[in-house]
Amino acid sequence: MVGAGVVGAACAYYAARAGLAVAVVDRGPVAGGTTGAGEGNLLVSDKEPGPELDLALLSTRLWRELAEDLGEAVEYEPKGGVVVASTAAGHEALRAFAAGQRAVGVIAEEVPGERLRELEPHLAPGLAGGFHYPQDAQVQPALAAAHLLRAARRMGAELITGETVTAVDLGPDGAVRGVRTDRRRLAAPAVVNAAGTWGGELAALAGVHLPVMPRRGFVLVTEPLPRVVRHKVYAADYVANVASGSAGLETSAVIEGTPGGPVLIGASRERVGFDRTLSQEVLRRLAGQAAELFPVLADVTVLRAYRGFRPYLPDHLPAIGADPRVPGLHHACGHEGAGIGLAPATGLLIAEQLTGKQPELDLGPFRADRFPVVGTA
Amino acid sequence: MPTSPSDPSSFGPPADASSGPLADPLFDPLFDLAVIGAGPAGLAAAVTAADLGLRCVLLDGGQGTGGQYYRHPAPGLGAARPDRLHHHWSAYTGLADRLAAHERAGRAAFRGGHQVWALERTGDGFAAHVTRGPESTDRATVRSRSVLLATGAYERQLPFPGWTLPGVVTAGGAQAMLKAGLVLPGRRIVVAGSGPLLLAAASSLVTAGAEVPAVVEATAYLGYARRPGVLAGVPGKLVEGAGHGGALLRHGVRLRPRSAVVEAHGTDRVTGVTVARLDARWRPLPGTERRIDCDALAVGHGLLPQIDLATELGARTRTGPDGAVALAVDARLRTSVPGLWSAGETNGVGGADLALAEGELAAYAVAGALPEAGTLRRRSRLRAFAELMAAAHRPGPGWTGWLRPDTDVCRCEEVPVAAIREAVDDLGAGDPRTVKLLTRAGMGWCQGRMCGPAVACLAGSAPGSASGGPGPDRRPLGCPVPLSQLAAGPSPESPAS
């Protein structure tokens, strides 16, 4: 497993549980990339019917199972999501979206505007209405990765951090034989690319094209507060932004409390490469939208901000499963902003494939060779 | 403007610029130079830059100039002689007078109560984003072609059992209480830790009437003696040291080298400390413990450069001989970020004289003028001395030997030693950032400024170290900012507002 983020951790966990001998290698620490910069969203609410929602529904079930052992340690909270619309037209669009989701097993309860404050007492008055998604949940992502890895290590997996994979070894038949790091050679008949935003580079080491690119996001963290936000609350335009192909800055309020007290305020999306520059415009929009949704937040203090880079593929679906171009090479990357949520399903499907079982979901839509080689995007 | 040090009210914020007849030149929203921090380095830089014809704005989070070093009593306390608490008070009043003259002439502006929380590179230079006023009531944006960072340093703290008890203050905090409020943290005060600040603090405390039963210094002070050539180059430092030593001798203060406070005792407040001898690696030696009664403890382990605004812009850093991460600057005090300069403690802690020299030199460099050769020589002597001091007082790795599993390391989030060791031993954290993500250590109000060095040691890596540390902390927000001010967005600068 190349990558000690939450996806690599979940792959290691399910593979070790299936009895495989596993090593996880990462050039940085555990949860050092996108995982450590995430909010920990386990969402079904923002996904339209299709392969990603299928993954999310499977993950929802798996997270619930994982939580029986790890729940407290990873701060698992099945708190539910609330999506709100400010206009009647927006509410109508949510209604149509929810109808499609219900057909495939998502629980979505319509909430009229006047009853929103029963769910969220501090919401701004005058919102047209919303939907309540009780399946949405949250974990603390770095803890999730670390505890999945600890569990994997207890089942025999080895964790190697601070070593960079410099080559993927291929045999004369073109099949994977392992990887080399700057310090050692790891022999293995299967290599799983869980390298997140760097997944494209790892694929290139194996000689294949996988156009994973970064999409920058900022999160604001407030001072510790009493529980003023109970669910994961976001505005209806978030769904449109998640699916958008625009390179420009998009922001939509995603607001939630944490067990530690601080409120997290996301989410922004920009395609600016790996530029880490703090954007005043992002701060202005995130803060403004948060105060619009929860006026009480206007008076709180923001202690810090952090940024991360979501690994995305051109069609916004991850790459999961065996790469038909290189026997033994598997991918588990490109989950964009949904990696924490989709990690267990990804790990389980990878483990099923590695052990020769029929994966419980069709991996066809996630094939890594679905992108034609046409220079750089 | 009155200039006597006996009238501290003269150092408050300047009168409203819009009412002055000569304020017009400052209405240009783009300054030549913004100096951030009005301590010795920033004051010297602003005054020199204005001398050289640059239109300059000096920003500081405090209401008046002087910074931590030239801290002086708030107006209204009726302090007759703030100079008694300061060496070289005349250096400060001289700079303050020159700044006042430049302000009257419209060449420079001092903006007190301006806490810069982010620096942004813009097409024509920089925008400094500011939260303003003692209550952070509103926001300002100060635009300039160049920026000189003179944000100084903050205290390095190493935790020990009992360090969160009331009555335990930092060595710098004790001095600040004395300088700004003319109050003592207790009547019988143990001074402990490592570094030259201890002697200065103890000397101030006894002079102000406190009893100091012991100054507990972790090193042997041998580091200085190994390089006599460097010491000979800065006789002023010897005189200063001798001054502190004399005051301590006169008051019968006992200096305990190679020792540390390994525990503070008390329930509601500190009532005593346990002092133990240390080996060369700062490991406490069993059997050497002795108890000293006291009602306050002032403890400090030197200073750490305050460089968040620059590292957030990607400025290159270096790790000094004291293990502290400082900005890397060239001979003209330029950082690796074009247009961003740095003077004083931000380049490695070295004291007020060095800060004054670097402030002056940086201003010359920004103006493209040649500095005096004497200042250049003085700076390089003082910088060499600073490196020597830094090496002498670098904390030894054995200090973690006085921790207990339940000792809080991060006091904001109440994270004990045991939680950090679990993150390192069981969860795979090998660096401070991962420890923070897994334990919340450093996520509270101080954003890891207090626990950062201790967490780095416990994680087995110091920031920026060759052992693969993740580099300096990066804090997009230099200080907490009200959400409403983030929502308001940057504004065009208007001195009249």
Side-chain angles (χ1 to χ4, degrees), chain B residues 27 54 59 99 165 194 215 225 230 232 236 246 270 288 325-326 335 348 370 394 404 408 433 459 466:
Chain B
F27 270 76
L54 297 179
L59 307 172
L99 179 66
L165 277 173
S194 186
V215 174
V230 180
V270 62
T288 63
V325 178
T335 70
L370 279 180
R394 179 186 182 111
R404 296 204 195 113
D408 274 340
R433 179 175 179 271

Side-chain angles (χ1 to χ4, degrees), chain B residues 91-496:
Chain B
Y92 171 63
T93 55
L95 288 170
D97 290 350
R98 285 163 67 197
L99 179 66
H102 282 309
E103 287 200 272
R104 284 193 299 273
R107 288 187 295 262
F110 171 66
R111 308 257 165 89
H114 276 52
Q115 186 77 47
V116 180
W117 54 266
L119 266 183
E120 181 187 12
R121 291 182 75 175
T122 58
D124 48 10
F126 294 87
H129 298 283
V130 169
T131 181
R132 192 152 60 167
E135 309 285 331
S136 294
T137 37
D138 66 351
R139 171 172 181 165
T141 310
V142 179
R143 299 173 196 281
S144 60
R145 290 196 175 86
S146 305
V147 168
L148 196 154
L149 202 68
T151 42
Y154 59 98
E155 282 188 89
R156 165 157 45 200
Q157 306 207 41
L158 300 178
F160 52 89
W163 74 301
T164 55
L165 277 173
V168 180
V169 298
T170 65
Q175 276 204 305
M177 287 167 80
L178 202 52
K179 287 178 180 177
L182 304 173
V183 292
L184 288 164
R187 278 197 290 272
R188 188 175 152 85
I189 309 162
V190 171
V191 177
S194 186
L197 190 61
L198 298 190
L199 292 184
S203 170
S204 304
L205 292 172
V206 291
T207 305
E211 184 190 351
V212 175
V215 174
V216 184
E217 161 65 53
T219 72
Y221 273 104
L222 290 173
Y224 306 179
R226 288 197 197 109
R227 295 278 302 280
V230 180
L231 268 188
V234 280
K237 287 283 171 192
L238 289 180
V239 173
E240 194 181 315
H244 294 317
L248 297 179
L249 239 118
R250 277 195 304 282
H251 289 88
V253 175
R254 174 109 190 257
L255 179 65
R256 293 182 180 277
R258 283 202 170 169
S259 301
V261 166
V262 295
E263 181 170 8
H265 307 281
T267 45
D268 303 327
R269 185 183 168 85
V270 62
T271 54
V273 296
T274 295
V275 172
R277 296 268 297 165
L278 303 180
D279 71 9
R281 292 169 53 81
W282 289 37
R283 265 186 306 234
L285 295 171
T288 63
E289 298 87 356
R290 72 167 58 218
R291 190 173 162 128
I292 301 175
D293 290 335
C294 60
D295 62 1
L297 168 64
V299 61
H301 287 93
L303 303 174
L304 297 170
Q306 175 74 58
I307 58 175
D308 298 328
L309 295 174
T311 51
E312 180 56 27
L313 291 181
R316 269 209 305 277
T317 57
R318 70 181 181 105
T319 302
D322 52 353
V325 178
L327 291 177
V329 291
D330 67 10
R332 309 213 69 194
L333 302 168
R334 282 183 299 209
T335 70
S336 64
V337 176
L340 180 65
W341 314 70
S342 166
E345 311 289 47
T346 42
N347 300 337
V349 170
D353 291 343
L354 177 57
L356 289 167
E358 288 199 346
E360 190 182 320
L361 289 173
Y364 272 96
V366 174
L370 279 180
E372 287 172 34
T375 314
L376 278 172
R377 281 197 301 274
R378 193 164 79 248
R379 186 250 172 182
S380 77
R381 278 200 309 269
L382 289 165
R383 187 46 81 191
F385 179 75
E387 301 283 301
L388 190 63
M389 295 280 273
H393 291 287
R394 179 186 182 111
W399 71 268
T400 53
W402 66 59
L403 294 173
R404 296 204 195 113
D406 65 347
T407 307
D408 274 340
V409 176
C410 168
R411 54 199 297 177
C412 300
E413 294 287 330
E414 297 179 352
V415 181
V417 169
I420 291 171
R421 293 215 161 115
E422 186 199 9
V424 172
D425 297 341
D426 293 350
L427 295 177
D431 65 285
R433 179 175 179 271
T434 311
V435 169
K436 174 170 106 173
L437 285 171
L438 298 179
T439 66
R440 304 192 56 76
M443 282 196 184
W445 278 98
C446 85
Q447 287 294 291
R449 288 181 180 87
M450 223 181 284
C451 65
V455 169
C457 285
L458 291 168
S461 80
S465 73
S467 67
D473 294 334
R474 290 184 71 158
R475 299 184 178 98
L477 304 184
C479 66
V481 186
L483 184 122
S484 55
Q485 289 178 35
L486 296 181
S491 55
E493 166 67 352
S494 162

Side-chain angles (χ1 to χ4, degrees), chain A residues 140 150 280 300 302 304 307, chain B residues 139 312 426 437 481 483:
Chain A
Q140 205 274 29
R150 170 149 82 175
Q280 290 293 323
V300 311
V302 176
R304 64 194 175 97
R307 71 213 114 193
Chain B
R139 171 172 181 165
E312 180 56 27
D426 293 350
L437 285 171
V481 186
L483 184 122

Side-chain angles (χ1 to χ4, degrees), chain A residues 41-63:
Chain A
N41 291 339
L42 317 181
L43 300 188
V44 294
S45 55
D46 65 335
K47 294 171 182 67
E48 61 185 355
E52 197 189 5
L53 182 55
D54 296 341
L55 269 184
L57 285 165
L58 173 56
S59 260
T60 297
R61 194 189 86 209
L62 296 174
W63 269 119

